[in-house]
Amino acid sequence: MGLLTFKRGIHPSDEKHHTENKAIEVILPKVGAKMTYPMVQHLGMPCQPCVSIGERVLLGQKIGDADGYVTSPIHSSVSGTVVAIEPTLTPVGVTVNSVIIENDGKYEEHESVGTTRDYTKCTNEELIKIVREAGVVGLGGAGFPTHVKLVPPKDASIDTILINCAECEPYLTTDYRVMLEETDKIIEGVKIMLKIFPDAKAILAVESNKPKAVEALKKAAQGVARISVVTLQTKYPQGSEKQLIQACTGKQVQVGKLPASSGVLVNNVDTIIAIHRAIVRGRPLMRKVITLSGGAIKNPGNYKVRLGMSLAELIEQTGGLNCEPQRIIVGGPMMGISTFTLNIPMMKTTGGVLCFNEKESAIPEERDCIRCGKCVEHCPIGLMPFVLNQNVIFDEQDDFVKNHGMECIECGSCSYICPAKRYLAQSIRKTRRRLLSQKKK
């Protein structure tokens, strides 16, 4: 039987060898460091600060929240004093209101932190409320509030809990290390999910380039009812939600529909650990495991970092730079966002930081399209990127929508495979986001 996969896609060099054998190291911010907490670290309604300048806060204390349902609170990852509440730049390139706390290095915990629970004795409503109050969001990059996912529409019958262990982005290896180092927590987290959805089965889906992770998860899940581990073909973007569902279940999520409409709930593997930490250990989301890599980084590796910590301080504490980076990418090289500064904070959605040297950052000159069709052949959702690119060039917004440009998942496969090196994904992403912004207004 062949490895599970989806239709089309690409096979870029995964470049994971730089960090895949590097165990996760814990990095704490320096005493006196300014920790910056943007009030937008999730999809949905922005948070409002619930602390004031001059106030002393404790580790795990809620510092931002909102009244809306699709939102997620934000907690301090240190103890210290609020020194400012002001707009700051974020890794996604926008300026948002932020709470800035000076770390006193004491890490005194708030009274709400550390409440241990037996999840088997909790009701589903209690479990979901705990996840909400802990500020857990999707840690695979999107940042969708997890408690919202755990309450699917009433007409949706969830039969599959799909744990995304693919980590198909080149360079990034944090999920891989988590699978090796925190295996038991993953399985316990999956059990919590299965308690919430008693009629569902759980599938942990891992790409074939991670055989040690497959072995570790299978060993930990052995004898546990309703949990299985499957191996996926190593292909990009295997970790994309709809492609993962197709590969593992054979189901196709209809355009405009959520995975729950097909009876499937998808969560990133690190999100499962965050759920476990929130419920079993009573700890809100205060840390993120990220990969530092690229030719400009002296010590590439995987690091567990407190939210709010400056990326510049993180790199300094891990050994610094070999050279001035020619390109800085927050996330992976395919779907990450290029930034001009490292003076930005660690956020819930930060999956990695890549600092490329001159050779790695070279971008080929864009040439005329030769109508070869490779972008169509490899697009994982069957779009015609070269046509959408023309729609963008000639400002044909109506045609862009008619040609399903709004369904693009921005994976970058088309730009990667294009022999003319057209900026296909970039142009589609820019137009798609502009139209989404207009629609919101």
Side-chain angles (χ1 to χ4, degrees):
M1 181 178 176
L3 297 175
L4 300 175
T5 190
F6 61 97
K7 295 180 181 179
R8 297 178 287 274
I10 59 174
H11 296 85
S13 173
D14 66 22
E15 298 296 330
K16 295 183 185 289
H17 61 277
H18 305 289
T19 59
E20 64 184 353
N21 294 318
K22 303 284 186 71
I24 297 170
E25 295 182 42
V26 176
I27 304 294
L28 293 176
K30 295 178 181 178
V31 176
K34 301 296 191 298
M35 307 291 287
T36 302
Y37 302 92
M39 292 291 100
V40 181
Q41 300 194 36
H42 52 269
L43 291 179
M45 186 177 293
C47 289
Q48 299 298 322
C50 52
V51 291
S52 55
I53 295 175
E55 180 178 346
R56 185 166 190 271
V57 299
L58 301 177
L59 183 144
Q61 181 176 334
K62 189 188 295 185
I63 58 175
D65 204 350
D67 293 331
Y69 180 59
V70 184
T71 188
S72 185
I74 295 165
H75 302 77
S76 176
S77 59
V78 297
S79 58
T81 304
V82 179
V83 295
I85 298 175
E86 61 189 20
T88 61
L89 183 67
T90 67
V92 295
V94 297
T95 300
V96 303
N97 200 31
S98 304
V99 173
I100 301 174
I101 298 173
E102 184 175 311
N103 177 30
D104 63 13
K106 296 178 180 178
Y107 299 99
E108 294 179 58
E109 295 185 350
H110 190 262
E111 59 183 9
S112 61
V113 176
T115 304
T116 58
R117 302 177 184 87
D118 181 353
Y119 68 86
T120 63
K121 297 178 181 178
C122 296
T123 66
N124 285 356
E125 291 73 21
E126 288 172 336
L127 294 176
I128 293 166
K129 183 179 179 180
I130 293 167
V131 170
R132 194 272 177 199
E133 288 303 305
V136 180
V137 302
L139 299 179
F144 190 79
T146 300
H147 70 277
V148 179
K149 265 191 181 181
L150 299 181
V151 187
K154 291 182 179 179
D155 59 347
S157 179
I158 304 299
D159 57 40
T160 305
I161 306 294
L162 194 50
I163 312 303
N164 188 347
C165 308
E167 195 168 42
C168 60
E169 270 272 9
Y171 286 92
L172 305 188
T173 57
T174 56
D175 286 352
Y176 174 65
R177 293 309 311 179
V178 161
M179 285 185 275
L180 293 182
E181 298 178 38
E182 302 191 42
T183 317
D184 292 338
K185 293 178 184 177
I186 295 170
I187 300 303
E188 285 300 308
V190 175
K191 288 180 181 179
I192 294 173
M193 296 290 289
L194 291 174
K195 182 189 182 305
I196 297 173
F197 298 96
D199 297 326
K201 62 181 179 181
I203 300 174
L204 291 96
V206 193
E207 280 195 320
S208 59
N209 62 350
K210 305 172 184 67
K212 291 181 181 178
V214 173
E215 183 182 353
L217 290 172
K218 283 186 174 180
K219 183 178 179 180
Q222 191 171 9
V224 181
R226 297 191 290 147
I227 298 180
S228 62
V229 180
V230 300
T231 306
L232 306 168
Q233 184 184 129
T234 300
K235 185 166 66 169
Y236 181 84
Q238 191 75 260
S240 178
E241 198 169 57
K242 292 184 178 180
Q243 281 60 53
L244 192 68
I245 291 171
Q246 181 185 359
C248 296
T249 70
K251 296 179 180 179
Q252 297 233 7
V253 181
Q254 295 180 3
V255 173
K257 296 285 188 180
L258 294 173
S261 65
S262 299
V264 183
L265 202 65
V266 183
N267 275 299
N268 170 266
V269 65
D270 200 25
T271 307
I272 294 297
I273 292 178
I275 291 172
H276 175 272
R277 284 168 59 85
I279 292 172
V280 176
R281 298 182 58 202
R283 303 191 71 80
L285 183 55
M286 300 182 289
R287 66 94 178 115
K288 190 74 170 70
V289 183
I290 73 161
T291 296
L292 284 185
S293 194
I297 296 286
K298 270 189 181 178
N299 295 309
N302 301 293
Y303 301 96
K304 187 177 290 186
V305 187
R306 297 295 171 109
L307 298 179
M309 186 176 178
S310 162
L311 299 184
E313 184 188 349
L314 169 62
I315 290 175
E316 179 188 346
Q317 287 207 44
T318 56
L321 299 166
N322 290 316
C323 61
E324 187 67 25
Q326 297 301 301
R327 186 170 300 276
I328 304 167
I329 298 174
V330 179
M334 299 300 292
M335 295 187 71
I337 295 175
S338 183
T339 183
F340 63 91
T341 178
L342 288 167
N343 293 314
I344 47 180
M346 178 68 55
M347 290 173 54
K348 295 180 182 181
T349 52
T350 306
V353 179
L354 307 178
C355 293
F356 288 152
N357 57 30
E358 185 174 358
K359 181 180 179 181
E360 293 170 321
S361 61
I363 299 177
E365 183 180 351
E366 187 180 34
R367 302 188 296 276
D368 291 339
C369 175
I370 59 174
R371 296 296 193 275
C372 66
K374 284 189 176 293
C375 60
V376 180
E377 180 184 347
H378 292 274
C379 175
I381 58 172
L383 300 180
M384 295 190 291
F386 77 96
V387 173
L388 292 170
N389 182 236
Q390 289 296 305
N391 294 154
V392 172
I393 292 170
F394 294 106
D395 196 25
E396 299 166 339
Q397 293 188 13
D398 290 342
D399 287 339
F400 181 88
V401 175
K402 288 178 183 176
N403 289 320
H404 308 289
M406 301 305 288
E407 302 304 320
C408 174
I409 60 174
E410 302 180 6
C411 67
S413 296
C414 51
S415 292
Y416 176 85
I417 206 68
C418 176
K421 301 305 174 187
R422 302 287 299 167
Y423 304 155
L424 301 171
Q426 296 89 332
S427 65
I428 295 169
R429 175 185 296 172
K430 185 177 179 180
T431 300
R432 182 176 176 272
R433 296 190 177 185
R434 186 178 76 245
L435 293 177
L436 284 172
S437 178
Q438 291 174 359
K439 186 178 179 180
K440 286 180 181 178
K441 289 180 181 179

